[in-house]
Every structure is written in C-alpha cells, then in structure tokens.
Amino acid sequence: MKAVISFVIRYIPRKYLQLVSHFFLRVLAIFYTGSKVQCNVCDSQFRKFLPYGRKARENALCPKCLALERHRLMWLFLQKETNFFTAPLKVLHIAPELCFIERMQALPNLEYITGDIESPLATVKMDVHQIPFENNSFDVVFCNHVMEHVDDDILACKEINRVLKPNGWGIIQSPIYDLKETIEDKSITDPRERERLFGQRDHVRKYGKDYASRLSQSGLLVEENLFVQQLDPQLVIQHALPPQEIIFYCKKGL
Ligand SMILES: [Zn+2]
C-alpha cells in the first residue's frame, strides 16, 4: 500500500490528485476524529493530520480540505497580516490550490479569477509567461509552487509585476533548498535526471537562498517574511504549520 501511495504521489501531479482524492479522504477522515490539531483553512479538528510527501511528512495533510502545512500558514498570514478578507480586491490566482478555491470564491469582497496552463481547476487557460490581462489589472496575485516548473521564472515574475496594480501585492512560494544559489541547467530534460538534480520529475530548477533576489530581477519587490516565527509556538503546533517557511510577499515594483 505504501508503495502504491508513493508511486501515485511521485508520478501524478497534485492538481489531478486533488480532483479524485476528495471522497477517499472524507472516508479516511473518520479515522482521524479528534481535537488535537486544527485546520484553520476549513475550521475542522482532528486527532492528527495525514502524512504527505514522497518522504512522507507526518501530520501534514488536512483530511477534509487537503490543505498542507504551507496552505494553513498562508491562510493565517492573509487573515492576520493583509486586507484580503475585507477590502474590495481583484485577485488572480495562478495554479489555484483546491483548498483555497471555494473559500476565496465565496468571499464577497473579491473579484476572484483563477488561471492555469493545464489545471482543470482553473477558469482561464493561461501561460504565466504571457498573462492574458492588461497592465495594472489586479490588486493581488497568488502564484505558488509554479516557478520551479516554468522555463523562464524571471519572465513569469515580470508578467506578474506587469498585471499588478500600483500598490498591488502577491505571494509567490516555491520549494527552497538549503543551497547558497539556485541550481538550473536548461539542457537537462530527462525526467529522471531532473528528479535527481532538481527534486522532482517536472522541476526545471532547484531554488536556493537567492530565491528572493532572483525573483526581484523581474522588477517585483520581494520581501522575505518570517511571519511563522512571530506566532505563538502552541499555535504553530496546533495548526501544524511549517516552522521554517518564509513567505515571499511581493509588491509591484517598477
Ligand atoms: Zn482543512
């Protein structure tokens, strides 16, 4: 069973998994009844979260809404540090995460648009290298776990910067490794080699600590926000938040 789960997680993109796994997880959730942890995205309590990841991380995935540690952190950040839930905002959510879509769609203050190159979850089919919207269109852009897949991440960020309104902001998360500099080699196209070097079969680079400065070459102003480290440690445990995760909070630059 473990081998099957590992195969599925390894070879089937998460966005497709999200489509079929809901029912299965709802059943599984029965076995996780309890109140030790709380998912702040769907406001549900469990004995613990499900394990997730190729090298499975314990206590990670919400059985009800499929939020992972990083999603719970982002939701809390939006609640505590931004005007996302109150201000009238036009939002572009690129490669939208299932756990957020319905909840963001339901917010009456938002004009909420989802876009993706292939995901059936998104309403606008779009390439992040060429975002099909006018300059200065959006108050907020989210684009998480996309940059490690795209050909030209700087161009993609230039596009995000272009469609943001003045004073617009965004969050652009990617997996970051303990490397001084990002590793990238465009000549490597073999999925097995990509997995070995970049961590996953469809990753084209492996980001290091230069992530923020690299993205800021696009003109975006990228801030490394250590929000999680300012939280009560009890809350971090209760929501099973990623204790080291940096939130890359971006603002429109020149
Ligand atoms: Zn949840």
Side-chain angles (χ1 to χ4, degrees):
M1 187 65 187
K2 241 184 170 173
V4 174
I5 292 171
S6 155
F7 176 87
V8 168
I9 289 171
R10 194 158 167 186
Y11 292 102
I12 303 178
R14 188 175 146 80
K15 52 193 151 203
Y16 297 115
L17 277 181
Q18 288 179 333
L19 284 177
V20 293
S21 50
H22 235 79
F23 174 74
F24 178 66
L25 286 171
R26 289 245 160 111
V27 175
L28 209 60
I30 297 164
F31 298 100
Y32 281 75
T33 306
S35 60
K36 222 169 168 192
V37 297
Q38 187 188 5
C39 175
N40 56 307
V41 178
C42 66
D43 275 328
S44 306
Q45 294 188 327
F46 304 97
R47 183 165 59 84
K48 60 178 180 178
F49 293 116
L50 292 163
Y52 186 81
R54 243 177 307 156
K55 286 180 198 159
R57 305 188 301 278
E58 290 297 319
N59 202 33
L61 181 76
C62 172
K64 188 171 174 191
C65 74
L66 302 181
L68 288 168
E69 303 95 319
R70 59 187 156 89
H71 302 126
R72 293 189 289 275
L73 178 66
M74 179 168 138
W75 196 252
L76 198 63
F77 177 83
L78 293 175
Q79 286 172 325
K80 295 211 182 255
E81 300 288 309
T82 75
N83 58 359
F84 187 75
F85 293 87
T86 50
L89 299 169
K90 188 169 173 184
V91 179
L92 176 62
H93 193 171
I94 301 167
E97 297 96 332
L98 184 65
C99 62
F100 291 148
I101 294 175
E102 274 185 23
R103 286 168 185 88
M104 290 186 179
Q105 251 162 5
L107 289 172
N109 59 309
L110 301 184
E111 186 184 338
Y112 177 68
I113 296 167
T114 54
D116 194 280
I117 196 158
E118 56 174 10
S119 170
L121 299 174
T123 51
V124 178
K125 191 173 170 64
M126 53 155 268
D127 182 348
V128 72
H129 297 97
Q130 204 174 357
I131 300 178
F133 292 97
E134 304 275 309
N135 297 355
N136 311 316
S137 295
F138 294 96
D139 300 288
V140 179
V141 176
F142 299 130
C143 187
N144 296 323
H145 288 241
V146 169
M147 293 301 161
E148 70 275 23
H149 298 273
V150 304
D151 257 7
D152 188 338
D153 53 344
I154 311 296
L155 175 60
C157 287
K158 274 186 190 165
E159 279 293 277
I160 292 172
N161 194 43
R162 179 182 67 75
V163 300
L164 276 174
K165 291 180 189 173
N167 298 319
W169 56 272
I171 293 176
I172 307 178
Q173 301 296 102
S174 296
I176 310 290
Y177 293 83
D178 190 17
L179 299 167
K180 195 158 168 265
E181 282 183 2
T182 296
I183 303 171
E184 180 182 48
D185 182 344
K186 292 199 172 167
S187 69
I188 294 165
T189 52
D190 176 39
R192 281 164 303 181
E193 266 304 275
R194 282 181 168 176
E195 181 171 28
R196 189 176 71 80
L197 291 168
F198 308 136
Q200 203 171 296
R201 296 169 72 88
D202 56 350
H203 287 183
V204 299
R205 64 185 67 80
K206 194 171 195 176
Y207 286 115
K209 293 184 170 126
D210 59 341
Y211 179 72
S213 64
R214 181 183 169 102
L215 297 196
S216 39
Q217 291 171 39
S218 65
L220 275 173
L221 307 172
V222 186
E223 174 193 318
E224 297 189 1
N225 191 302
L226 294 169
F227 171 68
V228 70
Q229 295 181 8
Q230 300 155 17
L231 296 171
D232 178 348
Q234 279 308 316
L235 193 73
V236 175
I237 293 168
Q238 190 195 10
H239 295 329
L241 303 176
Q244 305 296 330
E245 179 115 338
I246 298 168
I247 291 178
F248 294 92
Y249 179 81
C250 307
K251 284 187 191 158
K252 186 182 177 93
L254 292 174

